[in-house]
Amino acid sequence: MFSTFANPHRFLALSKWLMPLFAVLGAIIVATGWAWAFFFVPEELYQGATAKIMYIHVPAAMVSLAAYASMAVCSLLFLTLKHSIADVAAKSAAPVAAALSFICLVTGSLWGRPTWGTYWVWDARLTSMLFQLFLILGYMALRSAFQREQDAARAGAILCLVGAVNLPIIKFSVEWWNTLHQPAGFITLGGSSYAPEFYWPLWYNLIGIGLVFGALMMAAMRAEIFNRQYEAKLARMNRSAA
Amino acid sequence: MYFIATHRELQFVLGRGGKIRVSENHSSFVPILTIDSLTAVRGYNLLFQGLNFKLQSGQFAALRGPNGTGKTTLLRMIAGFIEAETGTIEKVEEYRERGPFYLGHDHGLRASETPLSHLTDWADIHYSPRSDIPDILERVGLTLRQHVPAYSLSAGQKKRVALARALITPRLLWLLDEPASALDTAGQALLCELMKEHLDEGGAILAAIHDDLELTPDLVLDLGAFA
Amino acid sequence: MMRNGVAAIFRRELSLAWAGGSGLFLPAAFFAGTIFLAPLGIGPEPRLLAASAPGLIFVALCLASLTTLERIFQADLEVGALDHHRLSGLSMELATLAKVAAHWLVSGLPIALLTPVAAVMMRAETVTLQSILPVFLGSITIFLWGGIGASLTAGLRRSGPLVALLILPLFVPVVIFGAEELNHVLTGQGFGAGLGLLAANSLAALAISPFAMSLALKLE
């Protein structure tokens, strides 16, 4: 009857053990990964110990980008196949993606203070991340403006897809702008010229943060599904009482 | 006259489905609307389920049911504005891939539109001749008010403009949501007259009505029974 | 006589905007007001004003367009006219595009035409009619992206601030390419690489926006 809410059962059954697994594994990897990075990785030649914020900053940036991409894929699936579980996934990924973008921006700015001598530089990557955060906040604000979940789902999916199409354009334009206005004495963050001793802990931390993201997203999805089931049940009870 | 346009367009649609016999008898069996095990959900509330219904050419069905049983939702579903939860709605193919004629609670006039400008735009949007407009305005009794902007028109007058739209762009299926509301006695008589003409020409009407009209419905669809 | 349904929707929208009266030049007035206020904050120093002119003109363009965007579809939705357009058998993609085009013509185009005046007020080095083109292209893009925001929020009350939050990130490329290009023109270097990118962005908006708008208006 309520085909919109159909088949979340398999997801609930799967996530019941997958979610704690991700959470525990993620916590262990992040804890050991940071310990590895902070205590065992040699200090970077020019930046010293401050470069170690990279092990939070870079994974947060990459996972938040991946999270936005997954929101876009889920939105597309929802619009084409009308699977409500895809909408639940997109909705649940949004706050986690926003939090990761925010962490990325804050750590980037803290890293910028000793490196650039200021908390904020209009660096191309930071600027793109800032606008990605705005896109996600807009998505969340739009969804919350609708009363009915179905309206919110459709509007959110359209906005998310439009944003996903635009994100590469935004990134390109910001990079183009950045090369035109390159400030003096600028040090590029990241890049692929890492020595292996910096490279492996970064990958390790990336996996850890990815697992934590997965656990948080699954927890949010479970809560959302339970909430929808509760609302549906409440409506049914009101109906039979009337 | 608009009857010519009506007739031509009706023939366009019905020519393939079978010969339509205009007026005289109501025995033309052209299915206009077929609803099969339809279920409607608004938010988390189930409005109706398992609705089956058939409407044929020349038939007028009254849609009844207490408030909140989904009369407006059903009409908007048939119009295609709301997707059905389950079930199917089959409609006769209208001229130029149009939807049915829909008369909702809202009159469809922006504050600065006049009856004449509204109907002119309406005719252009639907590729209908503008030359019918003076006759139609006369018919709905708005000739003297044709240049008055909508913010100065009464609710009943706006409803008459809405009715006039049905005459400019003929459609086989009329979906009317409380068509008599805001209309005075003369307006209600006009409404029944237009509905009767539409049925005689081979159209079909599904109307949500609270109080009985002069026109007796051929069928009554009570949504309360499908709750 | 206009015998095309989409053209009829365009003309109806245009005449309603005219009949709307005061709302017509509101964005242009907003734009002019922003530009005239800026020197009071920045100071009358010509070099400083000229340097900030392109960026300021584009930011003012974005903000000015936001003042009317939310009404593009809301006015029709409120009175039920949108229902009738959906039943008219016309393509909703083209119908929404026609509405956006009409709104751009009365709200966006005047801003583009005001650019030379704004540039003079901002003490730009060389003011030519060429300076209209970047703002012209930028305003088209802004209205197309803005139309998506308007269509998504058409059914919501007091949606203005929400529309702003939704579509401001989409304005980033317009501001970057447009201001760079305007800077080129205002410093007497003629057109540069930004113009092509600005036009490309307009085309991207033109390709995406109608589909997103018509999909969004089917919300119910």
Side-chain angles (χ1 to χ4, degrees):
Chain A
M1 181 177 71
F2 284 89
S3 68
T4 323
F5 316 113
N7 205 20
H9 302 292
R10 216 186 301 160
F11 170 78
L12 286 178
L14 189 73
S15 62
K16 195 169 184 176
W17 58 271
L18 211 56
M19 196 248 301
L21 183 72
F22 271 42
V24 170
L25 262 178
I28 292 172
I29 292 184
V30 167
T32 52
W34 285 350
W36 182 5
F38 291 144
F39 301 118
F40 300 105
V41 173
E43 290 195 355
E44 209 258 349
L45 189 57
Y46 300 106
Q47 297 184 36
T50 52
K52 288 184 174 176
I53 203 167
M54 169 178 84
Y55 298 105
I56 304 172
H57 175 80
V58 175
M62 291 175 86
V63 176
S64 99
L65 258 174
Y68 192 81
S70 74
M71 280 167 67
V73 171
C74 290
S75 298
L76 187 66
L77 286 179
F78 174 71
L79 281 182
T80 49
L81 303 176
K82 305 224 183 323
H83 275 318
S84 69
I85 197 91
D87 170 55
V88 171
K91 185 185 180 182
S92 307
V96 193
L100 285 169
S101 302
F102 187 70
I103 290 172
C104 169
L105 286 171
V106 169
T107 52
S109 129
L110 288 177
W111 192 2
R113 182 77 182 115
T115 324
W116 299 325
T118 169
Y119 284 114
W120 186 261
V121 165
W122 287 92
D123 163 64
R125 289 167 193 235
L126 280 182
T127 312
S128 305
M129 187 51 77
L130 180 66
F131 286 108
Q132 186 192 312
L133 178 61
F134 271 108
L135 277 175
I136 301 171
L137 290 180
Y139 174 86
M140 288 162 68
L142 180 67
R143 285 199 72 122
S144 64
F146 285 96
Q147 305 287 325
R148 268 208 315 267
E149 201 57 55
Q150 288 94 327
D151 297 346
R154 189 129 161 207
I158 295 168
L159 182 72
C160 184
L161 282 179
V162 170
V165 171
N166 269 276
L167 204 55
I169 308 180
I170 293 175
K171 277 189 95 74
F172 168 74
S173 67
V174 170
E175 266 158 33
W176 187 80
W177 166 77
N178 209 252
T179 51
L180 285 181
H181 307 264
Q182 189 78 266
F186 181 80
I187 302 163
T188 317
L189 295 182
S192 55
S193 55
Y194 289 119
E197 63 259 40
F198 301 122
Y199 189 74
W200 289 115
L202 194 60
W203 267 106
Y204 189 67
N205 272 309
L206 181 64
I207 292 168
I209 298 221
L211 285 172
V212 169
F213 166 75
L216 287 172
M217 181 170 156
M218 272 190 273
M221 283 177 74
R222 286 172 67 83
E224 180 68 24
I225 291 171
F226 287 140
N227 189 41
R228 289 187 187 188
Q229 284 177 342
Y230 165 76
E231 295 277 355
K233 196 166 214 165
L234 200 66
R236 268 203 301 277
M237 281 165 67
N238 284 341
R239 222 176 118 70
S240 49
Chain B
M1 280 298 285
Y2 52 88
F3 298 113
I4 298 166
T6 312
H7 209 103
R8 190 183 62 231
E9 297 190 3
L10 282 179
Q11 275 176 343
F12 169 84
V13 176
L14 293 171
R16 286 162 288 159
K19 189 92 182 137
I20 180 144
R21 274 156 291 188
V22 177
S23 66
E24 259 125 87
N25 57 38
H26 286 261
S27 59
S28 43
F29 291 110
V30 181
I32 301 279
L33 174 70
T34 313
I35 295 175
D36 191 28
S37 56
L38 188 70
T39 299
V41 176
R42 290 304 265 164
Y44 292 96
N45 291 301
L46 177 77
L47 293 177
F48 54 78
Q49 57 184 331
L51 178 67
N52 295 301
F53 182 67
K54 245 190 181 80
L55 193 61
Q56 285 173 343
S57 172
Q59 280 183 326
F60 162 38
L63 181 59
R64 293 192 187 267
N67 293 123
T69 44
K71 296 191 291 294
T72 299
T73 303
L74 176 62
L75 290 174
R76 293 185 72 80
M77 268 186 169
I78 298 171
F81 300 147
I82 306 177
E83 280 169 29
E85 191 72 12
T86 56
T88 54
I89 299 172
E90 274 175 54
K91 284 174 287 186
V92 70
E93 193 187 329
E94 303 267 358
Y95 186 59
R96 277 185 182 274
E97 295 177 12
R98 284 175 198 152
F101 175 69
Y102 176 74
L103 179 62
H105 292 292
D106 301 312
H107 41 70
L109 274 90
R110 296 262 287 267
S112 54
E113 281 184 295
T114 67
L116 180 62
S117 77
H118 181 77
L119 294 180
T120 308
D121 289 336
W122 184 262
D124 288 352
I125 289 170
H126 294 84
Y127 302 87
S128 295
R130 285 181 179 184
S131 48
D132 298 340
I133 294 172
D135 289 335
I136 291 170
L137 280 169
E138 178 79 50
R139 185 80 201 275
V140 296
L142 286 173
T143 306
L144 292 175
R145 302 249 166 224
Q146 58 179 308
H147 296 297
V148 177
Y151 59 77
S152 302
L153 293 174
S154 73
Q157 285 166 333
K158 283 185 246 187
K159 198 94 185 189
R160 283 165 185 253
V161 179
L163 281 174
R165 290 200 293 258
L167 302 178
I168 289 184
T169 51
R171 268 121 156 175
L172 283 167
L173 177 59
W174 284 12
L175 302 170
L176 313 177
D177 201 350
E178 303 290 348
S181 69
L183 286 175
D184 54 14
T185 321
Q188 293 197 15
L190 171 73
L191 171 70
C192 291
E193 208 179 292
L194 295 177
M195 285 168 70
K196 191 157 178 356
E197 276 169 21
H198 179 61
L199 296 172
D200 287 345
E201 282 164 357
I205 299 173
L206 178 62
I209 46 175
H210 257 294
D211 305 310
D212 284 328
L213 297 172
E214 292 286 307
L215 199 66
T216 325
D218 302 305
L219 299 161
V220 174
L221 174 58
D222 189 355
L223 276 187
F226 296 93
Chain C
M1 186 161 66
M2 233 175 255
R3 298 305 307 153
N4 183 309
V6 175
I9 286 189
F10 176 75
R11 201 208 42 213
R12 168 178 179 273
E13 208 61 39
L14 208 56
S15 63
L16 281 171
W18 275 115
S22 61
L24 181 57
F25 292 109
L26 211 59
F30 186 99
F31 174 77
T34 313
I35 294 295
F36 300 160
L37 261 177
L40 303 180
I42 298 173
E45 223 281 287
R47 271 192 309 128
L48 208 57
L49 280 180
S52 45
L56 205 64
I57 286 175
F58 265 87
V59 170
L61 166 69
C62 291
L63 296 181
S65 61
L66 283 176
T67 55
T68 55
L69 275 178
E70 56 169 319
R71 294 298 292 169
I72 296 183
F73 301 110
Q74 208 169 44
D76 271 342
L77 191 81
E78 276 169 1
V79 298
L82 214 55
D83 287 344
H84 304 309
H85 291 162
R86 284 162 65 180
L87 294 175
S88 64
L90 295 175
S91 129
M92 270 309 270
E93 285 81 10
L94 287 177
T96 51
L97 198 57
K99 279 175 192 288
V100 171
H103 271 260
W104 170 79
L105 202 62
V106 293
S107 306
L109 187 61
I111 295 180
L113 297 178
L114 269 178
T115 312
V117 182
V120 168
M121 305 296 273
M122 294 296 289
R123 308 294 305 268
E125 279 174 44
T126 39
V127 179
T128 57
L129 287 181
Q130 281 187 333
S131 63
I132 292 177
L133 193 59
V135 183
F136 177 86
L137 284 172
S139 64
I140 292 176
T141 320
I142 282 172
F143 271 77
L144 285 169
W145 291 137
I148 297 180
S151 62
L152 285 170
T153 58
L156 301 171
R157 298 243 156 253
R158 304 197 50 77
S159 55
L162 184 59
V163 176
L165 179 62
L166 298 187
I167 56 179
L168 275 178
L170 307 185
F171 291 170
V172 171
V174 180
V175 172
I176 289 177
F177 299 141
E180 183 57 32
E181 193 53 33
L182 192 58
N183 187 41
H184 254 260
V185 174
L186 292 183
T187 50
Q189 303 174 62
F191 293 129
L195 198 69
L197 294 169
L198 200 57
N201 196 30
S202 303
L203 288 177
L206 189 64
I208 295 166
S209 172
F211 299 100
M213 288 189 292
S214 94
L215 198 60
L217 289 175
K218 285 177 192 154
L219 282 179
E220 192 159 6

